[in-house]
Amino acid sequence: MNTFIQTIEHAENIAVTGHIRPDGDCIGSCLGVYNYIKDNYPRKKVTVYLEPMAPEFRFLNGYDQVKHKTDDSIYDLFIVLDCSDETRIEPFADLFKRAKESFCVDHHISNRGFCDDFMIDSGVSATCELLYQLFDEDKISFACAECLYTGIVHDTGVFKHSNTTRETMYIAGNLIAKGINTSHIIDDTFYRKTYLQNVIMGYALLESSLVMDGKIIYSFITKKWMDLYGVTGADLNGIIDQLRVTEGVEVAILGYEMNNLEFKVSMRSNDYVDVSKVASYFGGGGHIRAAGCTMKGNSLDVINNLLRHIESQLKLEEQNERDH
Ligand code: AMP
Ligand code: MN
Ligand code: MN
């Protein structure tokens, strides 16, 4: 038995959380662990804490039970999933600090291990993929399989990103064997867009700019514009993926103004730029091909700072190509 399951078996009162602005892998991981514990250890108490989640995930079992506000509980075990550092559990940091023990399961290359115990594997596509490996396959229920499959679908961009391996597909296959409705999960949680979400995607693509010989594409969405249309950060999913597949592009950048003069930045790369390195420099993190950070200033300051760091990597690659 692995230390994650051992740790769960030794605890009675367990809390689970992920990261701020929870995405598909974060929600899938938290509810996957929630269902696994509920199904196999019915005497244990398990509570999930997450910021409000996008409504398309409401079919996952346990969605309605998730707490969005912290409280004064003291847990035996606090499980942190899909979260690369302590600052990203912010709303629930007090619960984390008070807990008797903490355990992190994650796949971010930037994770330095901030819990009492952890399992971090940057070689897996999603935290949900790693959880599958830690769970006993026979004990994964239909409800748990739906959660894990959803997480893998989201972090692989429906099995298309370079993090999708033979093992990812094997695990997805085993989850399908549990009887889940894969096309419903993929269409309803990943591809379906509201009219407004399509409009804002159109706007972001229209406003995008190509720089550095077309190797970098970026688009910034101001708070004023988001307020005008009544959209939030969660409505912008998918835009960065469309920017990334623009012909000739190596790096795609999408920024949106969370607060006045404060941008949430997402970056994706195709072949050689390590965007996790760039994001980490600005206090964020992520993976080699997908990373993010928060930056202060107007959009011009933000893009200029980012471009300087990306440009040095592009130049290094050009030099390498010349040398070979
Ligand atoms: P996003 O661009 O927000 O979809 O994030 C891409 C990847 O980078 C995800 O795995 C995130 O968890 C990670 N990431 C995004 N923003 C941050 C941040 N501020 N700090 C650490 N990791 C981040
Ligand atoms: Mn995530
Ligand atoms: Mn993830």
Side-chain angles (χ1 to χ4, degrees):
M1 195 191 296
N2 59 70
T3 56
F4 181 55
I5 299 298
Q6 262 169 11
T7 310
I8 289 176
E9 292 202 347
H10 287 139
E12 287 310 320
N13 197 10
I14 304 169
V16 181
T17 197
H19 58 75
I20 48 171
R21 296 184 294 277
D23 57 15
D25 186 31
C26 173
I27 296 167
S29 299
C30 291
L31 293 177
V33 167
Y34 170 85
N35 281 296
Y36 192 83
I37 296 174
K38 279 248 166 229
D39 294 335
N40 299 297
Y41 307 96
R43 302 240 284 268
K44 294 188 192 298
K45 193 169 172 270
V46 54
T47 313
V48 179
Y49 293 88
L50 280 174
E51 285 183 341
M53 300 163 285
E56 56 265 28
F57 297 103
R58 67 185 170 274
F59 73 97
L60 294 174
N61 191 49
Y63 178 97
D64 295 335
Q65 305 301 314
V66 175
K67 290 196 176 173
H68 305 305
K69 288 212 163 71
T70 187
D71 53 52
D72 52 13
S73 307
I74 299 175
Y75 287 97
D76 298 335
L77 172 61
F78 195 83
I79 299 173
V80 185
L81 303 166
D82 196 43
C83 180
S84 55
D85 63 79
E86 205 175 328
T87 60
R88 306 217 343 128
I89 52 172
E90 200 180 59
F92 311 110
D94 55 336
L95 287 166
F96 169 72
K97 286 194 190 109
R98 271 199 306 274
K100 293 177 193 150
E101 199 177 358
S102 60
F103 202 113
C104 175
V105 180
D106 186 32
H107 69 131
H108 290 91
I109 198 164
S110 51
N111 194 321
R112 307 245 172 275
F114 59 95
C115 291
D116 296 331
D117 206 348
F118 40 84
M119 287 208 170
I120 300 159
D121 181 357
S122 61
V124 297
S125 67
T127 300
C128 282
E129 183 176 329
L130 185 51
L131 286 172
Y132 175 92
Q133 293 171 358
L134 298 173
F135 290 166
D136 181 343
E137 142 81 11
D138 296 334
K139 295 182 176 169
I140 297 176
S141 65
F142 173 89
C144 180
E146 281 193 317
C147 298
L148 298 185
Y149 187 85
T150 300
I152 295 172
V153 160
H154 278 256
D155 265 18
T156 59
V158 194
F159 308 107
K160 76 176 181 300
H161 297 334
S162 56
N163 58 2
T164 311
T165 63
R166 178 184 179 149
E167 183 67 10
T168 313
M169 299 307 269
Y170 173 77
I171 290 172
N174 286 350
L175 293 170
I176 292 172
K178 300 276 178 185
I180 60 175
N181 184 338
T182 55
S183 36
H184 148 69
I185 291 176
I186 292 171
D187 276 347
D188 294 354
T189 74
F190 195 88
Y191 288 112
R192 177 117 32 244
K193 298 280 167 222
T194 63
Y195 175 73
L196 264 185
Q197 288 166 345
N198 275 337
V199 166
I200 198 149
M201 184 182 295
Y203 168 81
L205 299 178
L206 193 67
E207 289 288 306
S208 66
S209 306
L210 279 171
V211 287
M212 309 251 169
D213 288 334
K215 289 203 172 71
I216 302 178
I217 191 164
Y218 67 84
S219 187
F220 280 79
I221 303 170
T222 60
K223 190 169 184 312
K224 200 169 145 192
W225 214 87
M226 289 175 75
D227 289 347
L228 183 71
Y229 281 88
V231 291
T232 67
D235 293 310
L236 311 181
N237 288 343
I239 298 177
I240 187 87
D241 294 318
Q242 194 53 43
L243 291 171
R244 181 183 65 83
V245 294
T246 309
E247 196 161 2
V249 158
E250 169 57 17
V251 181
I253 304 167
L254 177 71
Y256 77 88
E257 201 174 10
M258 275 189 310
N259 303 306
N260 209 13
L261 295 178
E262 187 183 26
F263 283 84
K264 161 81 181 84
V265 173
S266 287
M267 287 178 278
R268 301 291 184 267
S269 65
N270 280 317
D271 292 317
Y272 51 86
V273 170
D274 181 347
V275 286
S276 163
K277 222 179 198 172
V278 180
S280 296
Y281 182 84
F282 294 105
H287 315 279
I288 292 172
R289 301 272 171 265
C293 54
T294 305
M295 292 172 71
K296 292 235 158 69
N298 63 33
S299 57
L300 209 63
D301 302 329
V302 170
I303 192 66
N304 283 337
N305 281 324
L306 289 170
L307 287 184
R308 208 170 318 125
H309 283 260
I310 298 169
E311 192 182 11
S312 59
Q313 287 198 43
L314 288 178
K315 287 219 168 104
L316 217 61
E317 176 66 18
E318 280 166 19
Q319 186 67 42
N320 282 342
E321 271 176 12
R322 271 200 297 277
D323 293 349
H324 286 99

